[in-house]
Amino acid sequence: MGGKESYVPAGRKEYTWESDNPYYEKRKYPEPTKCPECGVVFKDGRWQWPEQITEKLPNDINEILCPACRRKRDRYPGGFFYLSGKFFEEHREEILNTIKNVVDYVVTQRPLQRILWMKEDENGATEIATTSEHLARQLGEAVNNAFKGNFEVNYSEGQKLARVYWHRD
């Protein structure tokens, strides 16, 4: 074994993904900082909803767009979830309610994971853009677990982007 080798102790990982995320600024925001768009607050080292913060916030709070609102403004999703098929067309409302329930739960735990937009194409298929690849996958897994179908997840090489497909005829 000649030369220096990089050693990472067991149980410790080097989180290099942050450098690949254009919305990760490699710095902490001054506390507290509020997003003027959605109202989420950076406090105690993380973004959280104001109702989750127990102490009173000062009147002279810092303001900056949170990463989720910046993604929305820039139309720069972290994931896509595509739904299609005859079954989807026939059960659209029920499937979209399942998606809404998942998002409602996730956003209370992780305020930066949100749906950016939802659009339907001329064939009845729906595209849902999310702020993270994790949320796109969670939505796909929830729909597939509830309704079964053809489920596939594709990650873009060199990017933090997931394309999740669900289809059932």
Side-chain angles (χ1 to χ4, degrees):
M1 281 182 143
K4 279 191 168 179
E5 290 186 34
S6 148
Y7 171 73
V8 177
R12 181 173 170 186
K13 293 181 181 177
E14 295 298 322
Y15 292 101
T16 57
W17 66 267
E18 294 170 336
S19 63
D20 296 336
N21 182 346
Y23 293 91
Y24 179 73
E25 296 184 23
K26 298 181 178 118
R27 68 174 178 93
K28 292 213 177 206
Y29 299 96
E31 293 193 22
T33 295
K34 180 180 179 180
C35 176
E37 188 81 21
C38 68
V40 72
V41 176
F42 186 82
K43 176 115 177 60
D44 301 327
R46 63 189 178 95
W47 290 98
Q48 48 194 311
W49 296 108
E51 55 271 13
Q52 296 171 320
I53 300 170
T54 53
E55 67 257 16
K56 185 171 172 13
L57 296 172
N59 292 333
D60 62 337
I61 193 167
N62 300 295
E63 286 194 348
I64 192 167
L65 275 181
C66 71
C69 288
R70 286 176 44 219
R71 277 187 181 269
K72 184 175 184 176
R73 177 198 62 200
D74 298 344
R75 295 189 56 81
Y76 192 89
F80 290 98
F81 179 34
Y82 302 97
L83 300 111
S84 62
K86 190 170 183 74
F87 184 88
F88 174 62
E89 291 173 29
E90 293 168 356
H91 297 86
R92 175 182 300 277
E93 187 176 335
E94 189 178 353
I95 292 170
L96 293 179
N97 280 337
T98 299
I99 290 169
K100 180 189 179 309
N101 291 339
V102 171
V103 170
D104 287 349
Y105 173 75
V106 168
V107 81
T108 62
Q109 306 300 311
R110 292 181 163 68
L112 301 182
Q113 291 194 18
R114 305 182 201 156
I115 288 180
L116 297 176
W117 68 79
M118 233 193 273
K119 67 180 182 183
E120 185 178 335
D121 72 12
E122 65 279 351
N123 300 323
T126 295
E127 171 191 271
I128 300 173
T130 64
T131 56
S132 77
E133 70 278 12
H134 306 292
L135 181 56
R137 183 179 185 113
Q138 266 184 296
L139 297 177
E141 288 173 345
V143 169
N144 194 53
N145 288 340
F147 301 100
K148 306 301 177 230
N150 296 321
F151 174 67
E152 182 181 339
V153 180
N154 295 322
Y155 292 97
S156 295
E157 196 171 318
Q159 281 185 281
K160 285 189 63 67
L161 178 73
R163 293 184 186 277
V164 179
Y165 300 90
W166 182 85
H167 178 89
R168 180 172 168 192
D169 282 320

